[in-house]
Amino acid sequence: MNRFESLFSHLSDETDCVFITSDVNRRYFTGMKSSAGIVVAFRSKAYLIIDFRYIEKARLTVKSAEVIEQKNLFSQLESLLKENNAVNIAIEAETMTVSELSAYKQKLSAYHFNDSSMLSNAIGALRSIKDDEEIQCIQKAQSIAENAFEQILKFIKVGVTEREIALKLDFTMMQLGAEALSFETIALSGANTSMPHGVPSDRKVCRGEFVLMDFGAVYNGYHSDMTRTVCVGKPDPEMEKVYNIVLEAQKTALSYAKAGIKGSQLDAVSRDVIAKAGYGNFFGHALGHGVGLEIHELPVASPKSDKILKTGSVVTIEPGIYIPGKFGVRIEDFVIITEKSCRNLTKSVKSIISL
Ligand SMILES: [Mn+2]
């Protein structure tokens, strides 16, 4: 089954057309990155309507859909709908704006628009299971990030600022072939490490402090995500203790990760380790999230996620302990879920590193 066939198998029977309008999902179905265009898919055929700026590239690269140059969008849509005898159109309710939807409804008033979350949910479910080609891109993205991490370890020393560390990581990932950064790199030091999503500042690293780095590279649209916390000089006994609790929580989750476990169960086995060690109040975020064409996608491993993990999902495992005013530790790998366990895509060392 190609991706369109799989998609229609997830939709209600009466759905005879879908409009795929979000950049990320258009890329998922066509393989081409663009900031405009619409995929119009019927059960037996799919089209990509895209404007002049992208038409040459689309004609050369898009194989899954017939490429049509955009002229007068609504009349082009209407003739495709007529040609394919379609009446019921599903739209991406999670991303289409209210004004876009009202324009479609007004200009194509003879048609019925399903504006429930059905289409967004179905695409989310498809994207949560990766095929081999997607896994290869994710692995390449991760190898870029890991090579950058190796290089940053030589760069971090007393007196270097958080911003310098972040910039060096970013530059190195781009130099190693990243098409973009997965998100704004987090590089924090000392007391700032207690803020899980802190922003790098001009603060200089001092001896005996943690440096926490959360970063990732994008390769062919696919993201990677990793976090390491390293110490400049020797950690004090409390820092070492907390680091090892987080490490144990992380390894425990890795040992439980497999197809069939609920996101909430995986979160719980890790959270329990931290709670039993007395730090339950200092782990205030979810254990993990899916990664793919977006940095945060399905599935989710949080206390609330009752969905089970499936073979082929890529999910992060990133417990942390954050003690306000003192320090924080997070250790993050990401894995592919398999039938009986998981395959860790992150190879960088995670025993405590003293630089
Ligand atoms: Mn993450």
Side-chain angles (χ1 to χ4, degrees):
M1 264 204 288
N2 68 33
R3 286 179 181 173
F4 289 114
E5 288 164 348
S6 306
L7 176 61
F8 275 102
S9 75
H10 281 70
L11 302 177
S12 62
D13 290 343
E14 71 269 17
T15 309
D16 40 32
C17 179
V18 299
F19 286 179
I20 297 168
T21 45
S22 65
D23 293 352
V24 64
N25 288 336
R26 224 175 28 247
R27 186 171 188 170
Y28 180 71
F29 284 97
T30 63
M32 184 177 133
K33 183 182 180 180
S34 64
S35 64
I38 172 171
V39 171
V40 183
F42 302 94
R43 287 187 185 265
S44 54
K45 179 135 202 218
Y47 305 83
L48 169 65
I49 304 178
I50 196 158
D51 71 60
F52 176 80
R53 295 170 297 164
Y54 295 106
I55 195 71
E56 185 178 0
K57 178 82 185 281
R59 286 193 172 126
L60 285 170
T61 62
V62 174
K63 302 277 179 273
S64 60
E66 185 181 322
V67 176
I68 300 172
E69 185 172 353
Q70 185 172 329
K71 300 284 185 195
N72 183 336
L73 179 62
F74 292 105
S75 62
Q76 288 174 303
L77 288 171
E78 188 152 29
S79 50
L80 287 181
L81 289 162
K82 276 190 183 142
E83 215 173 287
N84 288 276
N85 296 314
V87 185
N88 292 301
I89 305 160
I91 55 101
E92 289 186 85
E94 303 297 317
T95 49
M96 183 176 279
T97 66
V98 175
S99 62
E100 283 164 347
L101 179 60
S102 69
Y104 282 117
K105 282 182 170 171
Q106 201 198 334
K107 306 269 188 182
L108 300 168
S109 56
Y111 300 89
H112 178 260
F113 286 87
N114 180 336
D115 57 6
S116 74
S117 294
M118 175 185 70
L119 179 58
S120 294
N121 290 345
I123 297 174
L126 283 192
R127 278 177 43 197
S128 75
I129 310 290
K130 270 70 180 176
D131 65 25
D132 291 345
E133 218 171 296
E134 294 180 288
I135 301 276
Q136 277 174 22
C137 293
I138 290 170
Q139 267 176 318
K140 175 71 181 166
Q142 178 55 17
S143 78
I144 290 169
E146 285 181 6
N147 287 337
F149 178 66
E150 288 302 311
Q151 295 193 31
I152 205 71
L153 293 180
K154 294 174 216 148
F155 178 80
I156 298 171
K157 51 177 153 315
V158 171
V160 167
T161 72
E162 296 170 354
R163 265 174 56 78
E164 286 166 345
I165 295 168
L167 284 168
K168 175 85 171 171
L169 265 174
D170 294 354
F171 182 83
T172 309
M173 287 191 284
M174 296 300 284
Q175 200 174 33
L176 290 168
E179 79 181 37
L181 307 169
S182 289
F183 48 87
E184 284 182 29
T185 295
I186 296 171
L188 305 166
S189 64
N192 288 349
T193 54
S194 71
M195 293 177 272
H197 275 191
V199 177
S201 72
D202 291 322
R203 186 185 187 283
K204 288 180 174 158
V205 176
C206 301
R207 181 155 306 280
E209 288 184 345
F210 277 140
V211 173
L212 184 155
M213 291 162 284
D214 188 349
F215 56 100
V218 181
Y219 184 79
N220 198 21
Y222 286 86
H223 295 65
S224 69
D225 194 2
M226 69 180 284
T227 306
R228 287 293 183 268
T229 307
V230 301
C231 192
V232 179
K234 279 203 125 338
D236 72 24
E238 189 190 16
M239 289 163 73
E240 192 166 355
K241 179 184 159 200
V242 167
Y243 188 96
N244 286 322
I245 295 164
V246 174
L247 185 57
E248 195 197 329
Q250 211 261 353
K251 287 181 170 172
T252 303
L254 286 173
S255 74
Y256 277 86
K258 63 169 186 170
I261 192 170
K262 274 188 194 168
S264 57
Q265 289 175 307
L266 189 60
D267 181 280
V269 295
S270 199
R271 203 167 291 280
D272 277 359
V273 173
I274 290 173
K276 287 203 175 105
Y279 290 91
N281 292 331
F282 301 99
F283 175 23
H285 59 72
L287 177 71
H289 55 87
V291 179
L293 285 172
E294 288 176 292
I295 186 61
H296 292 130
E297 54 180 59
L298 297 173
V300 180
S302 80
K304 287 188 221 153
S305 55
D306 56 359
K307 296 248 162 62
I308 62 159
L309 301 183
K310 292 181 182 165
T311 300
S313 278
V314 171
V315 65
T316 68
I317 295 183
E318 49 179 311
I321 293 176
Y322 311 90
I323 308 169
K326 285 181 117 175
F327 63 83
V329 173
R330 176 164 70 254
I331 303 170
E332 173 181 28
D333 290 346
F334 73 152
V335 304
I336 307 171
I337 300 297
T338 61
E339 199 187 332
K340 295 213 164 71
S341 61
C342 69
R343 186 154 65 84
N344 198 335
L345 295 163
T346 315
K347 308 292 176 211
S348 301
V349 288
K350 54 190 174 185
S351 57
I352 197 160
I353 296 176
S354 189
L355 298 172

